[in-house]
Amino acid sequence: MAQRAVWLIRHEPGTPLCGTVRFSRRYPTVENRAKVFNGASYVPIPEDGPFLKALLFELRLLDDDKDFMECRDSCTHINKTSIYGLSIGNEELWPVVAFLKNGMVYASVPLVEQTLSPRPSLISISGISQGLELLFGIQDFLYSSQKNDTELNTKLSQLPNLLLQACPFGTLLDTNLQNSVDNNNFASVSQPQKQPAWKAGTYKGKPQVSISITEKVKSMQYDKQDIADTWQVVGAVTCKCDLEGIMPNVTISLSLPTNGSPLQDILVHPCVTSLDSAILTSSSIDGVDDSAFSGPYKFPFSPPLESFSLCYYTSQVPVPPILGFYQMKEEEVQLKIKVNLKLHESVKNNFEFCEAHIPFYNRGPITQLEYKVSFGQLEVFREKSLLIWIIGQKFPKSMEISLSGTVTFGAKSHDKQPFDQICIGDTAYVKLHFSILDYTLTGCYADQHSVQVFASGKPKISARKLYRFKQT
């Protein structure tokens, strides 16, 4: 249900062409769909000149169209539907929705989502009714309270912006174009503002800017002198900017505390207009030194309408947030396990959730479990051979917790139990998952007072931080 193209043609008898195209809009994305749906029967949209001549001929609006024409005026071509087929070269463009009102010809070509040979019934083409609705809406907008050609020209100049909202990418959303006028402060004809092709409309309402920083930490701890532990922070800054105007400008600054770890490997959204070279050259491949750029990191941009990721980054923090120790000893069908966890003192001890998953690969279901935990509670998923240690929302004051126990397994009987070709015998791991609201491990934050917005109205600015952790 979309339109391939729309035209407004001023009928001007006595002129060489008997008319002038006052407005036209083509939708290339819909045209590509027409090629796919119509297949061999596809006929491309012509240029304005050939379309103008073919349409006026079909509507008998040319000055030399007084004589009888078999291809147009025979009884087999009686038209009562305002749906026409136009001869363009050796091909026929069909269906074309068109009608004449107040000296203006309104026309559109709806998308037909099937082959055109044999010609489908009109009632099966939903784009025809939408095309008529769109053209009637344009007609009502042009001639409601319109008194002279100056006002008509003013309204015609507003059509490109109006259709971006009423019919974005050829899909009709609103037939009342006056609503869009009332909801938008259009520039005058003498001061046009170009709408970017990637922005289908504009926002009207209470201005606000929302910023969210989410960090995830991936850590591998081996508790072996010959294998080094690894950890790295991966961050993302997500924005939603509800701002009036076609191209509002926003600058967001990310800052770090005095001893914060520099941001590296920064990737930005295409809407970012400029960037300090020091931001782009900081790489995690190079060794971190005291001279590394530590901010503030400024990102000027013109935001899209939807929520988007302003940038991604990595950072090498000094220590992992939780230090872990895992010991497993096998005795026939039993396993003796011991897990110690210690929260680093620099990490905020206030979790949205915190839990440790202890899977047992390549074994049967858990038949018996004897355990002791110093903190939290343990859940047993017997068939999946999995223990989940629910730590909760806080570590105790000592910042250290422990789990010990003996696990007995039955015979392996089905494929739903966990299997891994690497975790054979004593090779296993504990995986930690937790989330902390309003906190980042790097200390990275967006200062609400440093956000600069160049748009109409004073926006409400909100910023939040979220820290997620995955450690093995």
Side-chain angles (χ1 to χ4, degrees):
M1 298 187 293
Q3 305 301 307
R4 296 167 60 186
V6 178
W7 290 269
L8 297 184
I9 298 172
R10 186 73 170 182
H11 182 220
E12 299 172 339
T15 61
L17 298 178
C18 295
T20 304
V21 176
R22 299 299 305 274
F23 173 82
S24 65
R25 167 61 57 85
R26 291 167 171 77
Y27 296 98
T29 54
V30 183
E31 194 67 13
N32 290 334
R33 293 164 59 191
K35 292 179 184 179
V36 175
F37 284 122
N38 301 160
S41 59
Y42 166 75
V43 177
I45 297 293
E47 297 296 325
D48 286 351
F51 181 85
L52 168 66
K53 184 176 180 180
L55 181 61
L56 294 185
F57 170 80
E58 187 67 28
L59 297 178
R60 295 181 60 88
L61 297 177
L62 295 176
D63 290 343
D64 56 357
D65 281 347
K66 307 303 181 184
D67 298 330
F68 176 83
M69 301 288 290
E70 176 69 24
C71 64
R72 181 193 62 193
D73 302 323
S74 68
C75 292
T76 59
H77 288 82
I78 295 177
N79 191 299
K80 297 182 180 180
T81 61
S82 298
I83 312 300
Y84 302 91
L86 305 186
S87 296
I88 307 294
N90 297 324
E91 300 177 307
E92 183 183 46
L93 179 65
W94 183 92
V96 178
V97 180
F99 61 86
L100 174 67
K101 188 73 172 180
N102 297 327
M104 187 79 76
V105 179
Y106 301 82
S108 72
V109 179
L111 172 68
V112 180
E113 297 181 344
Q114 56 186 300
T115 182
L116 299 176
S117 180
R119 184 173 290 183
S121 61
L122 296 182
I123 197 171
S124 68
I125 307 174
S126 57
I128 289 179
S129 59
Q130 285 205 350
L132 284 168
E133 285 187 79
L134 174 61
L135 297 178
F136 287 141
I138 295 175
Q139 174 199 330
D140 292 341
F141 167 70
L142 292 182
Y143 288 96
S144 61
S145 70
Q146 184 266 329
K147 300 177 181 179
N148 51 49
D149 287 344
T150 301
E151 292 185 8
L152 177 62
N153 291 336
T154 299
K155 291 191 173 185
L156 285 172
S157 70
Q158 295 176 343
L159 273 182
N161 285 336
L162 288 174
L163 288 184
L164 280 172
Q165 300 182 66
C167 191
F169 303 109
T171 301
L172 183 62
L173 300 180
D174 189 0
T175 59
N176 190 341
L177 274 66
Q178 190 61 42
N179 286 340
S180 298
V181 174
D182 296 338
N183 293 334
N184 290 274
N185 184 17
F186 282 98
S188 64
V189 180
S190 60
Q191 295 178 335
Q193 222 174 349
K194 187 177 180 181
Q195 182 86 6
W198 49 265
K199 197 168 187 179
T202 57
Y203 172 80
K204 180 66 179 179
K206 187 177 180 180
Q208 56 184 356
V209 176
S210 300
I211 309 165
S212 176
I213 302 176
T214 303
E215 289 187 351
K216 297 182 180 180
V217 178
K218 296 182 179 180
S219 174
M220 298 286 290
Q221 298 180 29
Y222 303 95
D223 194 34
K224 292 185 177 181
Q225 293 182 353
D226 56 336
I227 303 178
D229 297 343
T230 62
W231 59 89
Q232 187 181 52
V233 177
V234 179
V237 181
T238 304
C239 298
K240 180 68 167 71
C241 301
D242 297 326
L243 301 171
E244 296 183 351
I246 293 176
M247 292 287 285
N249 292 311
V250 181
T251 298
I252 290 177
S253 296
L254 301 181
S255 301
L256 295 172
T258 304
N259 297 322
S261 302
L263 306 185
Q264 302 168 323
D265 306 323
I266 296 177
L267 298 176
V268 299
H269 191 275
C271 71
V272 176
T273 54
S274 63
L275 214 56
D276 190 325
S277 60
I279 295 178
L280 295 176
T281 56
S282 179
S283 172
S284 59
I285 298 177
D286 304 325
V288 180
D289 53 46
D290 295 337
S291 62
F293 183 71
S294 57
Y297 305 85
K298 293 187 177 182
F299 300 91
F301 60 94
S302 179
L305 292 176
E306 68 278 3
S307 176
F308 69 101
S309 296
L310 176 64
C311 71
Y312 297 93
Y313 63 83
T314 66
S315 182
Q316 191 64 47
V317 295
V319 293
I322 296 179
L323 295 175
F325 168 81
Y326 180 34
Q327 184 182 70
M328 183 174 71
K329 184 178 180 181
E330 187 169 8
E331 296 179 355
E332 297 181 354
V333 295
Q334 290 184 335
L335 284 179
K336 290 187 176 182
I337 62 172
K338 184 177 182 180
V339 182
N340 295 331
L341 300 176
K342 181 178 181 180
L343 180 67
H344 194 270
E345 58 185 9
S346 65
V347 179
K348 182 180 179 180
N349 189 15
N350 188 5
F351 303 96
E352 185 181 15
F353 67 88
C354 181
E355 57 189 34
H357 292 199
I358 310 173
F360 299 99
Y361 290 100
N362 313 318
R363 302 177 187 274
I366 298 174
T367 57
Q368 186 176 353
L369 173 66
E370 297 178 0
Y371 70 92
K372 179 181 180 181
V373 291
S374 65
F375 192 80
Q377 59 186 21
L378 195 66
E379 291 190 357
V380 184
F381 291 81
R382 299 184 181 277
E383 293 298 318
K384 295 183 179 180
S385 301
L386 173 67
L387 302 180
I388 296 182
W389 184 7
I390 301 176
I391 300 167
Q393 297 182 325
K394 282 182 177 293
F395 270 62
K397 291 183 179 180
S398 64
M399 300 295 184
E400 296 186 43
I401 56 177
S402 63
L403 161 68
S404 60
T406 302
V407 188
T408 304
F409 300 92
K412 187 174 181 181
S413 59
H414 56 76
D415 296 332
K416 292 184 179 180
Q417 291 165 279
F419 176 80
D420 190 281
Q421 294 181 343
I422 297 177
C423 294
I424 302 296
D426 293 339
T427 304
Y429 61 79
V430 175
K431 183 178 290 186
L432 291 175
H433 301 266
F434 69 73
S435 175
I436 304 177
L437 295 175
D438 197 29
Y439 176 78
T440 56
L441 190 61
T442 62
C444 179
Y445 65 96
D447 186 357
Q448 301 181 28
H449 302 290
S450 67
V451 177
Q452 297 178 333
V453 179
F454 302 94
S456 59
K458 185 177 180 180
K460 176 185 178 182
I461 299 174
S462 61
R464 64 187 294 267
K465 295 178 287 186
L466 177 63
Y467 173 52
R468 296 189 183 278
F469 180 68
K470 186 177 181 180
Q471 174 178 306
T472 303

